Amino acid sequence: MALYDFAKGLILEAGNKVRLMMQEELDIKTKSNPNDLVTNVDKATENYLYETILHNYPDHQVIGEEGHGHNLEYLKGVIWVIDPIDGTLNFVHQKENFAISIGIYHDGKPYAGFVYDVMKDVLYHAKVGQGVFENTHKLEMIQNTELKRSIIGINPNWLTKPILSDIFSSIVNEARSARAYGSAALEIISVAKGQLAAYLTPRLQPWDFAGGLLILNEVGGIGTNLLGDKGILCLLCITFNLKLKILISSYIKSSYR
């Protein structure tokens, strides 16, 4: 079985297992702060993905949010970057609006991305150079928009922080409106679908965007740090269409001065 088809089947089966585990009582714990939650389902799903990948591809490497691969030392070969439950707060409180995310890289270059909206049973998937599919429907390239006619994705908590408020408030005030959905993977997908014109956040980890960013790139979207550079995105991330890239980056750069 081709790697791409294997990954598609794997993420769908992981979603089936999540839906079954949701019928049982959740074991919920906190990590870095009271709002940073992890459940038994997060851990079980990551373990399932990790064990199944290595059983079928023992020479591959896996990086996961819940601990696997955090001591990775080299990028040669095939690397899977997985988030077993992206949007754990939504998972715990809403029982929806969360996703399983997988990005696959070969020798440090993107190969394929998968974001599975588990409760809607919708899989967004892309192989580099072959476009993006929502289940079997191919997505169109995204269109450029003006900020004043755009909806921006941003967590409102960032607008309450002294420094971040200065950086983000002028963008939100200029935009048509702002929304927060609580899952980085699904918010990046919203940009890829044209439902959001941009998604801004000052803090992401590789597993948060590894699948979604590859999908976004395939429909003409861009992911950068907050200053508009396509460098390391782990701590600063913004995704948008090309026209907004220039404008939003200029807003942020002026706020840093």
Side-chain angles (χ1 to χ4, degrees):
M1 180 184 296
L3 178 60
Y4 187 78
D5 291 331
F6 170 79
K8 282 176 62 179
L10 176 63
I11 197 170
L12 291 172
E13 182 56 28
N16 288 334
K17 291 180 177 297
V18 168
R19 287 189 290 266
L20 288 173
M21 286 185 284
M22 290 174 68
Q23 299 174 23
E24 306 295 331
E25 184 176 355
L26 295 179
D27 179 16
I28 304 169
K29 293 182 171 58
T30 60
K31 295 193 288 187
S32 62
N33 63 70
N35 298 321
D36 185 12
L37 303 182
V38 63
T39 73
N40 58 305
V41 178
D42 295 72
K43 294 178 179 180
T45 303
E46 179 163 311
N47 286 336
Y48 168 73
L49 293 169
Y50 176 81
E51 291 169 3
T52 307
I53 291 166
L54 292 189
H55 176 76
N56 287 273
Y57 298 97
D59 58 331
H60 289 191
Q61 299 186 87
V62 180
I63 303 173
E65 178 177 10
E66 306 309 331
H68 289 100
H70 288 197
N71 58 348
L72 189 74
E73 296 180 352
Y74 59 92
L75 299 179
K76 289 293 184 181
V78 178
I79 298 176
W80 299 62
V81 186
I82 62 177
D83 192 338
I85 301 288
D86 183 71
T88 301
L89 274 174
N90 290 351
F91 173 72
V92 170
H93 288 273
Q94 301 175 348
K95 304 296 188 291
E96 61 182 358
N97 301 319
F98 63 90
I100 303 172
S101 174
I102 296 177
I104 304 177
Y105 294 77
H106 183 248
D107 290 338
K109 297 181 179 179
Y111 166 75
F114 306 84
V115 174
Y116 184 37
D117 187 330
V118 175
M119 301 313 291
K120 291 182 179 178
D121 192 24
V122 177
L123 175 62
Y124 302 92
H125 55 102
K127 185 189 293 185
V128 170
Q130 297 188 18
V132 176
F133 292 85
E134 179 181 0
N135 288 335
T136 59
H137 171 71
K138 190 171 185 178
L139 297 185
E140 302 291 333
M141 301 294 284
I142 60 175
Q143 302 297 312
N144 285 321
T145 61
E146 297 180 3
L147 183 58
K148 64 183 179 182
R149 293 185 174 89
S150 298
I151 297 177
I152 304 299
I154 184 171
N155 186 327
N157 287 336
W158 302 128
L159 300 175
T160 68
K161 312 298 182 183
I163 297 176
L164 293 175
S165 176
D166 293 338
I167 295 172
F168 290 135
S169 59
S170 58
I171 300 169
V172 173
N173 288 334
E174 181 69 18
R176 174 163 281 170
S177 191
R179 297 288 186 272
Y181 300 112
S183 163
L186 290 178
E187 294 195 68
I188 295 172
I189 291 297
S190 293
V191 179
K193 294 178 67 176
Q195 296 170 332
L196 294 175
Y199 167 56
L200 290 77
T201 179
R203 187 176 66 206
L204 286 184
Q205 298 294 340
W207 41 81
D208 294 318
F209 61 81
L213 185 59
L214 188 151
I215 290 170
L216 179 68
N217 291 160
E218 280 294 297
V219 290
I222 302 168
T224 75
N225 63 25
L226 291 178
L227 297 179
D229 302 319
K230 292 185 178 180
I232 298 174
L233 303 180
C234 297
L235 299 180
L236 304 172
C237 186
I238 177 171
T239 59
F240 35 28
N241 61 57
L242 180 59
K243 188 171 185 179
L244 286 186
K245 173 186 183 297
I246 299 171
L247 178 60
I248 291 179
S249 296
S250 67
Y251 269 112
I252 293 173
K253 287 177 181 178
S254 65
S255 298
Y256 275 125
R257 291 175 186 151

